[in-house]
Amino acid sequence: AGQWEIDFANRYFMEDIPEGLCVYKGYADLAGVPTPGIDAILTKFQSYLGKEYIVDGKLCGKDSMATKAPQAYGITSLEALLP
């Protein structure tokens, strides 16, 4: 039988991490809510993607501004989200 192998070029990694998990992480950072599960996933898989989104538990890596997280749009507080 053949071995199963993860395809890190698949859109579920290439799109869903920067446009999904990083967005949730960004909002949580603004709200001061810990995200240990998201942190573990991002920390593990960012290296496979050749990216750096999370550093020391914060969405501030060199590639974080290429995500759809609110911080990438200059939003640095929950108050800035509200009209």
Side-chain angles (χ1 to χ4, degrees):
Q3 286 194 348
W4 184 79
E5 204 171 294
I6 297 175
D7 177 9
F8 291 106
N10 186 291
R11 76 174 189 88
Y12 292 111
F13 288 101
M14 299 302 295
E15 295 175 15
D16 289 357
I17 288 178
E19 296 181 17
L21 283 180
C22 287
V23 174
Y24 301 139
K25 175 64 179 168
Y27 284 115
D29 279 357
L30 293 179
V33 175
T35 55
I38 289 174
D39 294 358
I41 292 168
L42 289 175
T43 299
K44 175 76 172 179
F45 288 103
Q46 68 185 359
S47 63
Y48 292 113
L49 298 172
K51 303 289 183 182
E52 180 185 72
Y53 299 118
I54 189 170
V55 174
D56 296 327
K58 293 291 180 194
L59 187 67
C60 64
K62 66 179 177 63
D63 298 302
S64 62
M65 292 300 128
T67 71
K68 298 282 172 69
Q71 292 85 343
Y73 298 94
I75 297 170
T76 58
S77 69
L78 286 179
E79 293 75 24
L81 290 171
L82 303 173

